[in-house]
Amino acid sequence: MTSGRNTLQDSNIQADLLLEGQSPDGEPHGSDVHGATGHRARLRARLLKAGPEALADHEILEMVLFLAVPRRDTKPIARALVRRFGSYAGAIAAPIGELRGVEGLGEAGAAALKIVQAAALRLAKAEIAYRPVLNHWDRLIEYLTAVLARERVEQARALFLDQRNRLIADEVQSVGTVNHTPLYPRELIRRALEHHATAIILVHNHPSGDPTPSPEDVAMTREIKQAASTLSIVLHDHVIVGNGKWVSLKRLGLL
């Protein structure tokens, strides 16, 4: 049964290649020798046969842009994105204002990249939804890293948990500057009560890339822990996310 499906898939790929200007072996066919159409078909065929690992960062970006920029060669745009932002991940995480500055990308292309980012974050969040997050710590860190590691300014978030430590809500509490973001204990506790949360995990990022907690981070964490405890709300941890690194104040013995 599997063999039949593979044969049908290969036949469909070959038909697409012929229709879009190249032969089934991946070589250009007919008058579309230098056309973008044949190039798109080759990328699609490689993706379907070998998987996404067979594609470079700029090639994945090209494929993302195929639908958003249907009548233009997207290879130069994709290469420009990688040059400017360093990688596929850097491109889709780039601020919309900076994406607009990439020649040829346009509003449709910028929107395509941001919807890919949104889809990736929702998939990561789905991995921790409705589960006790303390028992799925690695997945929680993957989600928090995806959300915060590439932010250009500090952002403080709160994860509100129920009595089984399942995620109720993940909310941005404040957005600050490159090295500071305010966090207001009274507002945080008010939101916890509104969610009927029994526990909280605090999270914020350090855009410098170094997640080492500052004395102010430690002092604020302890203030929030004390305020929460008066209402029987547990502060499980405060996670600080850097660039490819993270720290837990609880694991450091600072909570």
Side-chain angles (χ1 to χ4, degrees):
M1 191 68 179
T2 301
S3 175
R5 285 199 300 268
N6 289 340
T7 300
L8 179 59
Q9 183 184 62
D10 288 345
S11 298
N12 289 338
I13 292 171
Q14 291 179 9
D16 283 346
L17 291 171
L18 288 170
L19 286 171
E20 298 195 15
Q22 60 180 309
S23 62
D25 62 3
E27 293 301 318
H29 176 75
S31 61
D32 194 30
V33 175
H34 301 293
T37 306
H39 174 65
R40 293 183 178 198
R42 285 192 296 274
L43 282 183
R44 186 165 63 247
R46 196 182 340 147
L47 171 69
L48 294 176
K49 285 189 173 183
E53 295 79 9
L55 301 178
D57 277 10
H58 75 274
E59 291 174 324
I60 295 178
L61 286 169
E62 282 186 69
M63 296 197 72
V64 170
L65 295 174
F66 283 172
L67 295 177
V69 192
R71 300 186 181 279
R72 182 167 182 169
D73 182 5
T74 58
K75 182 190 289 187
I77 305 172
R79 289 189 178 277
L81 286 165
V82 173
R83 282 196 302 271
R84 179 160 181 174
F85 301 111
S87 66
Y88 166 80
I92 67 169
I96 192 71
E98 294 187 23
L99 289 174
R100 289 192 178 108
V102 176
E103 184 177 357
L105 185 62
E107 291 289 314
L113 296 183
K114 300 318 290 182
I115 200 64
V116 168
Q117 182 190 26
L121 293 179
R122 290 201 180 189
L123 283 172
K125 189 174 183 179
E127 290 296 312
I128 60 171
Y130 312 113
R131 299 178 180 181
V133 296
L134 300 183
N135 296 336
H136 296 84
W137 193 256
D138 289 345
R139 290 181 178 178
L140 175 63
I141 294 300
E142 288 176 4
Y143 167 66
L144 297 176
T145 300
V147 171
L148 288 172
R150 295 182 180 276
E151 288 293 320
R152 308 288 181 85
V153 297
E154 284 200 13
Q155 182 184 116
R157 305 177 77 97
L159 308 183
F160 298 104
L161 312 178
D162 66 13
Q163 60 185 357
R164 295 176 61 185
N165 290 321
R166 295 176 302 187
L167 183 65
I168 299 173
D170 166 23
E171 294 183 350
V172 176
Q173 299 300 301
S174 64
V175 177
T177 65
V178 294
N179 58 10
H180 174 73
T181 185
L183 193 55
Y184 305 104
R186 180 179 297 179
E187 177 64 18
L188 179 67
I189 300 305
R190 183 182 69 81
R191 292 298 294 154
L193 293 173
E194 289 176 350
H195 284 301
H196 304 288
T198 58
I200 303 170
I201 296 176
L202 295 178
V203 191
H204 83 279
N205 63 307
H206 282 178
S208 67
D210 179 4
T212 303
S214 67
E216 292 78 12
D217 291 335
V218 176
M220 177 57 69
T221 302
R222 290 174 175 170
E223 181 181 347
I224 291 172
K225 179 182 179 181
Q226 182 176 2
S229 66
T230 62
L231 295 170
S232 300
I233 299 172
V234 177
L235 178 61
H236 280 312
D237 209 338
H238 185 169
V239 176
I240 303 177
V241 177
N243 186 6
K245 304 175 184 178
W246 62 275
V247 298
S248 154
L249 268 65
K250 182 176 183 178
R251 296 188 183 191
L252 292 176
L254 298 174
L255 186 58

